[in-house]
Amino acid sequence: MFKSINSMMSSKKRCFFYYGFISLFLSLFVFMLGLYAYQLKNLEERSESAKNALTHRMNGIFLELKHIVDSSKLSCEKEDIDILRRTTFYSPTFKEIGLFNDDFRVYCTTYGPRDIAIFSSIVDRIKDSSERKTVSLVRSHSLGESTFFAFYQGAHGLGINGLAPPQALAVDVDYLLSPDLPYELTIGKQTVVSSEYSHKSSVLAKRVESLDDWAISLVVFSPFSLYWSHLVSLLPFIFIFCVLFCLIFYAAHGGILYYRHSLPLSIKRAIQDNAIDVHFQPIVSLKAGELHEMEALIRWHSPHHGQISPLVIVETAERLGLIDDLTWMVVRKVGDFYREYPTQLKEINISVNVDRYSLLKESFAPNLEGIITEYPELKGRLGLEVTETSALTDIELPLMVSRFEYIKTLGIRLSVDDFGTGYAGLDFLRRFPYDTLKLDKVFIDSLKDDQFTRQILISITKLAKELNMALVAEGVEREDQLEAVRALGVDRVQGYYFCRPLPKEQVIAWVEENSTK
């Protein structure tokens, strides 16, 4: 016993370890995969937002440059310089503005007249642009550092360039991406990088956004360091999900165990293990000096489901294709019953219920003959009760008659159970009379008060006598029912009035007590 308990505890520990390990692995996998998808989505959305911010800023710059060009002239007088200085003072972006002619030479700036040639690569980009605009990042002669240049050439050849610190363009991008997502902002041929960017950092993913009209590209990176920091912050939630997964696994494990002990499976195992009990209910003869008979009835108390209805057992066996196995089990237990009590049961016949469709199978009669050979005690004392459930077809009727004729040669009696409630045809009774007709309990219950039922039973009783068949009234529970069936001429009774179905030891005691002297 202690070994069994220790084994169960050890099994539970192993189960807990496995489920815990699987739950932890699954939780980590789900969160890591989910976080990866979130990082990609976050990278996409924020990169798109940064591109939109850049586009908005560049559109504003373009409108500002266009407005200046439209109001400027090819001259560089003091008045022109003052206008440029005043425009620069109020500009939200530019620290210096210059005008260039159709030869792409800067001739006027906020610092006065100039003669500076624009780089040929910039000129090419201006000419290739549909709106004759571009940007560049070059060293400014006036500011003395890498400077953001925006170029625009009007329709009449007059152009303008604006100078600004690169931060003026990157401020919106920096606001949307930093500090989580490092980036590279390429303006023309030069690149500005965020302070968080490092070529040594391992990158989970990157996204490239381009503003082709302005020759600007933005590369945004999602570093692994950000991924791991987020994963660490999610550890409490991972633990919670680990516990939830563990509970789900335990619930699923319990469901599997429940299925293993579910009613259909339990019934299947009980049939295969011959664990279904057989009780016996006496069929009492009302004629003095005649011997009693018995009907074998299945009973089963499941360890997991309690007492199970015989009807449920039969229906489940039919669904599982085990109805024949159930029948043979009962027949063999009847044979064992005869062997165990040969003296007490010497003159007593016992009947077993059988499914009518089993009788139609070619294998039924040979299997029955094999059991009769195995249990010679059954010959001449075993009866089969066939319940009338549905009408026989034109093909089934002769086949059933031939089966019955063969079974009769084996010394087996045949009874029709619950007669009057199904579809037993009079033609079948004419072609092959049963040994016994058993009147269903539904007639017995209404016999006293229902004259129509009484007339039916009178007709059935007359039919049985004409066909030389015995009659058994089932379900007799009260004395008034007993007297009513006795008045009809029924001489055998089965019901709780005399005895309920009993285990074999108790029914033997009943037989010994009520045997005819």
Side-chain angles (χ1 to χ4, degrees):
M1 178 179 177
F2 289 111
K3 287 184 179 180
S4 177
I5 294 175
N6 290 334
S7 176
M8 289 176 62
M9 293 298 293
S10 176
S11 177
K12 288 184 177 180
K13 287 181 180 178
R14 286 197 303 271
C15 186
F16 178 80
F17 174 78
Y18 290 144
Y19 286 156
F21 177 78
I22 293 173
S23 299
L24 179 60
F25 174 80
L26 187 59
S27 299
L28 280 171
F29 177 77
V30 169
F31 271 83
M32 291 179 71
L33 186 63
L35 183 58
Y36 176 75
Y38 167 78
Q39 290 282 94
L40 294 182
K41 186 66 174 177
N42 181 57
L43 175 65
E44 178 185 352
E45 291 178 349
R46 291 173 68 178
S47 299
E48 186 69 24
S49 297
K51 177 184 177 182
N52 292 337
L54 270 176
T55 301
H56 180 74
R57 173 59 64 93
M58 294 310 299
N59 288 337
I61 289 173
F62 170 70
L63 292 175
E64 185 178 354
L65 293 177
K66 187 175 184 301
H67 176 73
I68 297 172
V69 166
D70 291 343
S71 59
S72 297
K73 297 179 291 186
L74 282 171
S75 60
C76 190
E77 304 296 332
K78 183 178 183 302
E79 180 182 358
D80 299 318
I81 296 172
D82 289 341
I83 292 174
L84 291 179
R85 288 175 177 175
R86 188 165 52 251
T87 301
T88 303
F89 180 79
Y90 289 106
S91 173
T93 305
F94 299 115
K95 302 301 180 182
E96 182 180 345
I97 293 176
L99 299 174
F100 62 87
N101 54 30
D102 52 5
D103 291 329
F104 295 96
R105 299 188 69 86
V106 178
Y107 66 90
C108 188
T109 71
T110 52
Y111 293 97
R114 289 288 190 272
D115 185 15
I116 304 172
I118 298 175
F119 292 124
S120 59
S121 58
I122 296 176
V123 173
D124 292 338
R125 292 206 301 271
I126 293 173
K127 291 180 179 180
D128 292 338
S129 171
S130 60
E131 295 183 316
R132 301 184 71 80
K133 60 185 180 182
T134 191
V135 293
S136 183
L137 192 68
V138 296
R139 177 168 293 276
S140 168
H141 296 288
S142 57
L143 297 180
E145 60 181 4
S146 292
T147 305
F148 167 69
F149 282 77
F151 297 87
Y152 169 70
Q153 186 178 38
H156 302 292
L158 179 61
I160 185 172
N161 66 339
L163 289 71
Q167 294 78 9
L169 185 63
V171 62
D172 295 330
V173 176
D174 215 51
Y175 174 77
L176 292 168
L177 300 179
S178 294
D180 296 339
L181 303 179
Y183 63 87
E184 290 180 345
L185 180 62
T186 301
I187 303 171
K189 295 183 178 181
Q190 301 295 321
T191 300
V192 177
V193 299
S194 63
S195 57
E196 296 82 11
Y197 179 78
S198 172
H199 286 286
K200 296 180 181 180
S201 300
S202 55
V203 175
L204 178 70
K206 70 177 182 178
R207 187 173 176 87
V208 179
E209 303 286 356
S210 299
L211 280 71
D212 296 329
D213 287 343
W214 290 100
I216 295 177
S217 66
L218 175 67
V219 183
V220 186
F221 303 94
S222 182
F224 264 111
S225 57
L226 177 65
Y227 178 83
W228 294 120
S229 65
H230 282 173
L231 190 63
V232 170
S233 68
L234 291 173
L235 284 178
F237 298 98
I238 294 175
F239 174 76
I240 293 173
F241 267 76
C242 178
V243 173
L244 288 176
F245 278 127
C246 201
L247 292 175
I248 291 172
F249 284 133
Y250 271 112
H253 181 77
I256 293 172
L257 290 179
Y258 176 79
Y259 171 75
R260 291 180 61 187
H261 297 102
S262 65
L263 185 56
L265 193 61
S266 296
I267 291 175
K268 179 179 179 180
R269 287 178 175 173
I271 293 173
Q272 293 172 341
D273 297 340
N274 292 325
I276 303 291
D277 295 323
V278 176
H279 287 196
F280 300 88
Q281 186 174 29
I283 300 173
V284 179
S285 175
L286 299 180
K287 291 182 179 181
E290 285 195 0
L291 296 171
H292 304 306
E293 297 180 0
M294 293 184 192
E295 180 182 358
L297 299 167
I298 56 174
R299 295 290 186 270
W300 184 52
H301 185 88
S302 168
H304 306 288
H305 305 279
Q307 194 67 36
I308 306 302
S309 166
L311 183 61
V312 172
I313 297 174
V314 171
E315 290 176 349
T316 303
E318 288 176 346
R319 289 200 310 271
L320 297 176
L322 298 173
I323 191 65
D324 291 344
D325 295 333
L326 180 62
T327 300
W328 302 137
M329 183 199 73
V330 175
V331 172
R332 284 189 170 90
K333 288 200 173 187
V334 171
D336 292 332
F337 188 37
Y338 276 120
R339 287 183 178 179
E340 190 173 354
Y341 299 97
T343 303
Q344 296 89 335
L345 300 175
K346 184 177 180 181
E347 303 293 337
I348 294 179
N349 297 328
I350 300 176
S351 57
V352 174
N353 288 284
V354 62
D355 182 71
R356 66 182 298 172
Y357 293 106
S358 295
L359 289 166
L360 292 171
K361 297 176 183 176
E362 292 185 5
S363 61
F364 185 85
N367 288 337
L368 179 60
E369 185 176 7
I371 294 177
I372 297 298
T373 303
E374 182 182 354
Y375 292 91
E377 299 87 350
L378 295 173
K379 191 168 185 179
R381 292 191 284 181
L382 177 67
L384 300 181
E385 292 189 8
V386 185
T387 302
E388 48 161 347
T389 54
S390 60
L392 293 169
T393 66
D394 292 338
I395 297 176
E396 291 173 341
L397 182 59
L399 184 60
M400 184 69 82
V401 170
S402 66
R403 293 281 190 273
F404 278 11
E405 289 173 346
Y406 182 78
I407 290 171
K408 290 287 284 185
T409 64
L410 299 176
I412 307 298
R413 296 171 295 102
L414 292 165
S415 303
V416 57
D417 197 15
D418 301 335
F419 183 76
T421 61
Y423 301 89
L426 294 178
D427 184 55
F428 183 79
L429 293 180
R430 179 184 61 80
R431 295 179 61 178
F432 189 88
Y434 289 91
D435 295 291
T436 304
L437 291 183
K438 301 189 75 172
L439 303 176
D440 190 74
K441 183 179 183 297
V442 67
F443 292 114
I444 308 305
D445 288 340
S446 57
L447 178 60
K448 181 180 178 182
D449 303 319
D450 189 343
Q451 188 63 30
F452 181 70
T453 299
R454 183 177 181 82
Q455 290 298 323
I456 291 176
L457 291 183
I458 290 173
S459 299
I460 293 175
T461 303
K462 182 179 179 181
L463 173 66
K465 289 180 179 179
E466 290 176 354
L467 295 176
N468 198 29
M469 290 186 286
L471 272 172
V472 176
E474 295 183 294
V476 175
E477 299 177 352
R478 304 189 307 269
E479 187 172 355
D480 62 307
Q481 292 176 333
L482 175 63
E483 294 304 323
V485 297
R486 193 196 300 268
L488 288 173
V490 177
D491 53 13
R492 296 182 185 181
V493 176
Q494 181 179 357
Y496 278 28
Y497 179 80
F498 287 103
C499 186
R500 61 183 177 85
L502 297 172
K504 58 184 181 179
E505 297 84 1
Q506 296 181 29
V507 81
I508 289 296
W510 186 93
V511 168
E512 292 176 340
E513 183 179 347
N514 294 274
S515 60
T516 304
K517 303 296 183 182

